[in-house]
Structures are given as C-alpha cells and as structure tokens.
Amino acid sequence: MNKMKHLSIVDGAFLHLESAEMPMHVGSLHLFEPPAGYQGNWYEAVKAHVARRMHLAPVFTRKLALMPFDLANPVWIDDHDIDLDYHIRHLVLSRPGSFEQLEALAARLHSSLLDRSRPLWEFYVIEGLADGRIGFYAKVHHAAVDGQAGVAMGRSMFDLTPEPRPVKAPRASQGHRYQLGVAELLAAALQNQFQQVVETLKLLPQIAATLAGAGRDWVATRRAETPDAKAARKAAATGSRFKLAPPTPFNASITNQRAFAAVALPLVEVKRIGKAFGASINDMVLWLCSTALRSYLKEGDELPEKSLVAGVPISLRAEGDTSANNQVTGTLVDLGTQIADPLKRLKAIMNGTAAMKRQMGTFGGVMPTDLPSLGSPWLLSGLASLYGRSRIADKLRIVNVAISNVPGSKVPVYLVGAKMVDYYPVSIVVHGVALNITVQSHVDQLCFGLIACRRAVPDVRDLAAQMRRALETLRSLPLPESSAASAMGAADAVSARVADVAAARPVGAGSTKVPAAADAGKARAAGTAAATKPRRAAARPAATAAKTAPTQP
C-alpha cells in the first residue's frame, strides 16, 4: 500500500495561496567551476548522480494526492515513476554568456508554476557562460521544504570532496498504486483531523502557563521600574502600536513576471565589523538591506518619512531536525530607513531584533506548527484571490519587504566533481510585498538573492548595486576604540583573502562580486559617482507627489 504523509496547515497554506501570479516555490541559483580540463557531459553526469541519490531526500520521490472535494489538506504519496528527463533540463545561454543573462533566465524560470501531478521539483543545468563556469538553477515547492530543510536536501546531493561519496542503493520498491481510493483518502483525512485536535488540546495548558508567566514577568518589571526608566520606555514606545507600513513601490499587487539580481559580500568582514558594534550577523544583514533600500528609494525621491517594515521569517525547527516540511513563523522589524546616521540606524535595528528575540524566547516553544485543516483549501484559496484581485494589497500594507537569512555550508561543496562557487537564494514575492531579499551564507560569502515583481521593481539590479555601496559605507564606519586595534590585523587578513579570491576567480562583465580591498577606494569613488546619477526613466515611472506605488494595469 502507498504510504501517506499529511501536509501540515503551514505546508498546505503554500499550496492553497498559490496562483499564476504567486508561484509558491523557492529556488536557488548556483555557479559551479568544473574540474580543470573537464571534457565530459556534465548534464548527463548530474542526471545519473541525482538518480543514485533521490532516495536520500523524500522530496524527490513523492507527489501530492488531493482530498476529495478539497475538504482538507492533500497528502504526500510515493511516486515510483519519475521522469528525470522532465525534472532535470539542459539550457545554453546565447552569446556573450553574461551573468546578467543568467540572472534574467533564473527570473524567467522562477515565474512558472510546478506541475502538481509530479514531484514538486526541477533542476536546470545552464551552460554558455563566458567565463567557463556552469550555472545551476533549482526550484522546489515551499509546501515541501522550508529554508533549513532545503539546505538539508542539498546535503543529500552535494559532497565535501570532488569525488562523490559512495551511497547505498535504495531497497527495491514493492507494489504500488498510481492513486489512492476516495474512501481511503477520506478516512485518512478524518483520522488526521482528530489527531490535530488532540494535539492542539494538549498544547493549551502549556500556552496558558506561558501566558501567565509572561504576565507575571510584565507586572514585576513594571513594579521595579524607576520613574526615569518608565519615561524612557514610553518615549521609545511612542507610535509602536499597530500601524500600516509606509507606501513604497514594493507594496502593489503583482503579476507573474519576475526580475532577479544577485550579489555576494564578504561574510568574514561583515561579521568582524558587526562584532565590533555588538551586532549579530542577522543585525548586519538587516542593516545592509536597510542601507541599500534607503539609498535606492532616496535616489528615486521615493523614501518615506517613516521606517520601512521588514517581514522576517523565524525558524521553529529544533537543532538536528532535517524533516522535509515547514516549521516557521514570522515577525516584523523596523529597518530604520528614516534615520540618516548609519550607526544610529544600526542601533535601532539591534533594539528591534533584541525585542524580537525576547518575544520568541517567551512564546517560541508554544507556537503550534500544525492545526486541523478541514476546509482550509477553500478558505485560503478564496482569501488569496480576493486579496490580489481587489487591490487590497495596495492599501493594507503590513510589511514593505521580506528579508530572510539562512545559514549555509561553511566548507566548499561539490556536485559530480564541480565546485560550487555561489549559492544565491531565489524566494517568493506575494501581493502587497513585491520584493524579497533572501541571504544564504556560503563558505566565506553572504550571497544575496533579490527577487521582485518585474512590473513593480524593474530595476532590481540597481538595488543590488546599492548593496555593494552599503558594504563600502560599512567599511567606512569608525569602529569603537576598544575594537579598533584588534580589528586592524583582522582587516588586513580579510583584505588579503578578498584579493586572493579576486585573483583566483575571473570576474565577468556581469558579475556582482565586491572588488578586492586593494581596489576599495576606486570602487567607493565609482559607487559615489553612480549614486549621483539620475535613475533611468525607463527603469521605473517617476514618483508621484503622493509617492504611491506604480499603477498596475
């Protein structure tokens, strides 16, 4: 009998919210360096490699079975007839084979829906880059994996050495059916709903205890508060009640067209400078995004007087949990884009993330990742359609941009002998949030993937350029005196490392690599000159007096 696994309420939501304008898959764009003198057919080698490794990650070998009348979430069932020629495809860039062409191709591939009658993944081997490297684009439906589960999925395919590790062959599959019966599916759905009700009821006492404890802590804190501390708290809390995010070009109903840009920044250097200010890598990622967004919007005379608000996903996954599902929640963080001083902006972001951590420390352990899903397909699909077509998304601005940071591999990885050079995430945009910035660390880099609705943000590459200028601003910040001396030696090491990387890896005309530290002054001058240029009229319509999002057809 075919084994079933029920989708959680979060997994199912990614299916039911999906539409032609809002594909709900996540992806990644990689650059691989083939072995020196390689003359083989890498595409065929990848296909054979995946065929030997598919059993290591369930996402490769399971497909959806829908419930009768869409009464509840679907179930995953095993698929024993997988067409690798369909799932793994080969493309060649036309000349000159620039990085910009690769970005545009990734955007186009990311805009199309996955076939729900098959396992929900696709790989593309992309040749024709001028520098001889090979592009590799992958997409998997978000119903099957979240960010950290996607990293675990990658581990099943990638190796730590050029020589692929030996993998034990899967057991021979037993008899199976292509589809399950109606009665079998209905019985499984009812059983799952009952189990979810029981699990939710079990969680209620823990939720009540957590709320009671949080209330006691709040009362104790207020009683011990001094008058000066109370006044400072009230001043800091001014305007902190629920409010709409300010209008930006990103807050619009979207189409199915996408624009993508990628940029890699030095991880070690960003961490070193952040540590000098007591900031975490997450704080620094938010600051880099905030600084780039501020410059980008200011250049187009579209910077709001109020701070942009970022929607930040938070993983609820326990350490070591590699299950292929979604265990995630989210929160809001003010980016401080209204603050001109970069150090004050960093302090504001650090205060916001500290408050977020306190909230997660209190409530993170009792947030359910699954609930009864009876009727959710109808409800969520209807709400998603209403939200997009009614243009509510243009007015009800909860967040301006989605920003996510996913930890990746700290060591080099290989795919059938080729070394992975970059790991650029390609995520999801939705109605009302037409820009998503996802960051994946890879060895000594922070790889930023910027995906946007092409109608709302056609000049997303300009924003990627502002990311590089934000790094130059970060390098120019005066470090605290206690950290300056110790940072000097580390800065020299980082500069040497960046220079070595630049010398060892040719940079193509379309590359988004940060210049070596030896050329930092030249790059800073070029960035300043570029920042003073008026934005091309064709890139985005001129801002209106009200500074609202561009009109959609």
Side-chain angles (χ1 to χ4, degrees):
M1 178 176 151
N2 211 328
K3 293 183 293 184
M4 288 185 288
K5 178 176 176 55
H6 291 268
L7 275 75
S8 71
I9 192 72
V10 179
D11 297 340
F14 285 110
L15 285 177
H16 311 318
L17 294 175
E18 186 171 58
S19 65
E21 296 82 17
M22 290 198 314
M24 287 289 169
H25 48 254
V26 289
S28 55
L29 179 65
H30 311 264
L31 288 175
F32 282 91
E33 287 181 347
Y38 182 76
Q39 298 296 324
N41 188 328
W42 200 66
Y43 164 68
E44 292 294 340
V46 168
K47 269 203 308 184
H49 179 81
V50 173
R52 292 190 295 268
R53 300 280 184 94
M54 283 195 304
H55 63 287
L56 299 181
V59 66
F60 290 114
T61 58
R62 65 186 188 183
K63 64 181 180 180
L64 292 170
L66 302 179
M67 287 293 165
F69 310 110
D70 274 341
L71 289 176
N73 281 340
V75 294
W76 295 113
I77 61 173
D78 293 333
D79 186 353
H80 300 275
D81 185 23
I82 298 173
D83 182 3
L84 286 183
D85 288 324
Y86 175 86
H87 286 278
I88 307 175
R89 307 180 192 183
H90 181 234
L91 299 173
V92 180
L93 294 175
S94 59
R95 291 181 180 180
S98 66
F99 190 78
E100 286 89 347
Q101 287 176 280
L102 184 63
E103 289 175 321
L105 178 57
R108 188 160 63 249
L109 295 174
H110 203 66
S111 67
S112 59
L113 296 168
L114 289 162
D115 183 353
R116 292 194 183 186
S117 69
R118 303 172 185 265
L120 297 177
W121 63 275
E122 291 176 6
F123 290 166
Y124 293 81
V125 174
I126 306 167
E127 296 184 305
L129 282 166
D131 58 11
R133 293 181 291 180
I134 302 174
F136 185 85
Y137 167 77
K139 65 179 176 182
V140 185
H141 205 286
H142 212 327
V145 294
D146 60 12
Q148 292 194 13
V151 172
M153 171 187 162
R155 293 194 190 107
S156 68
M157 290 292 115
F158 302 135
D159 294 288
L160 300 179
T161 63
E163 183 67 26
R165 68 188 185 276
V167 172
K168 186 177 179 180
R171 294 181 182 275
S173 60
Q174 304 298 318
H176 64 277
R177 290 175 287 165
Y178 183 73
Q179 290 290 358
L180 300 179
V182 173
E184 190 174 1
L185 287 169
L186 285 174
L190 292 174
Q191 182 181 7
N192 179 254
Q193 299 309 301
F194 178 76
Q195 290 175 345
Q196 294 307 323
V197 170
V198 171
E199 293 299 321
T200 302
L201 292 175
K202 287 181 180 178
L203 197 59
L204 290 179
Q206 187 179 354
I207 294 175
T210 300
L211 291 174
R216 288 192 296 269
D217 292 343
W218 183 86
V219 171
T221 301
R222 292 296 181 267
R223 286 178 175 175
E225 202 171 42
T226 64
D228 289 343
K230 184 177 182 180
R233 174 177 56 81
K234 287 185 175 181
T238 302
S240 63
R241 296 179 179 86
F242 177 80
K243 59 184 182 298
L244 292 177
T248 69
F250 318 134
N251 298 112
S253 297
I254 63 173
T255 70
N256 66 339
Q257 301 176 40
R258 296 291 178 266
F260 177 71
V263 60
L265 304 182
L267 172 62
V268 176
E269 185 177 10
V270 171
K271 289 180 69 174
R272 173 184 62 81
I273 298 175
K275 185 177 180 180
F277 292 107
S280 69
I281 188 62
N282 286 329
D283 296 332
M284 298 310 297
V285 165
L286 289 172
W287 182 89
L288 287 165
C289 293
S290 170
T291 302
L293 288 165
R294 173 183 166 83
S295 299
Y296 170 84
L297 292 172
K298 188 175 181 180
E299 183 181 287
D301 195 26
E302 297 166 315
L303 180 65
E305 295 180 357
K306 297 181 180 179
S307 171
L308 266 64
V309 180
V312 180
I314 300 174
S315 176
L316 300 176
R317 187 176 297 275
E319 186 174 355
D321 182 357
T322 59
S323 55
N325 62 355
N326 286 276
Q327 300 180 39
V328 66
T329 185
T331 189
L332 307 180
V333 176
D334 283 356
L335 293 176
T337 49
Q338 84 283 14
I339 303 173
D341 186 289
L343 286 178
K344 291 181 179 179
R345 192 181 325 119
L346 176 60
K347 183 63 176 177
I349 290 172
M350 291 169 62
N351 289 338
T353 57
M356 175 186 71
K357 291 173 184 176
R358 287 194 297 271
Q359 292 175 352
M360 291 306 301
T362 302
F363 299 106
V366 297
M367 288 185 178
T369 57
D370 201 4
L371 292 167
S373 64
L374 194 64
S376 65
W378 294 350
L379 178 63
L380 293 178
S381 297
L383 289 176
S385 178
L386 175 66
Y387 189 66
R389 296 184 181 184
S390 65
R391 304 286 179 178
I392 296 175
D394 298 9
K395 305 296 182 183
L396 187 61
R397 301 178 304 275
I398 308 301
V399 303
N400 298 113
V401 58
I403 301 176
S404 179
N405 181 25
V406 181
S409 176
K410 298 179 180 180
V411 296
V413 296
Y414 300 82
L415 180 62
V416 285
K419 181 181 179 181
M420 184 191 294
V421 179
D422 299 300
Y423 193 132
Y424 297 113
V426 191
S427 196
I428 296 171
V429 293
V430 298
H431 290 305
V433 188
L435 174 66
N436 182 301
I437 304 173
T438 302
V439 187
Q440 176 103 23
S441 60
H442 180 67
V443 191
D444 57 357
Q445 299 182 110
L446 281 174
C447 297
F448 289 72
L450 292 76
I451 188 74
C453 170
R454 191 174 69 87
R455 187 70 60 84
V457 195
D459 52 351
V460 69
R461 286 196 186 115
D462 289 356
L463 181 56
Q466 293 291 356
M467 287 287 182
R468 294 191 291 277
R469 294 173 193 138
L471 176 66
E472 294 304 321
T473 301
L474 182 64
R475 286 170 170 165
S476 68
L477 294 181
L479 297 179
E481 291 185 8
S482 59
S483 303
S486 60
M488 289 296 292
D492 292 339
V494 169
S495 299
R497 169 60 179 157
V498 174
D500 289 344
V501 171
R505 189 188 310 154
V507 179
S511 174
T512 54
K513 296 295 178 191
V514 176
D519 297 326
K522 193 181 296 181
R524 186 179 297 111
T528 303
T532 60
K533 293 181 181 179
R535 185 168 303 166
R536 296 187 305 274
R540 187 165 68 223
T544 62
K547 297 183 181 179
T548 57
T551 303
Q552 302 290 308

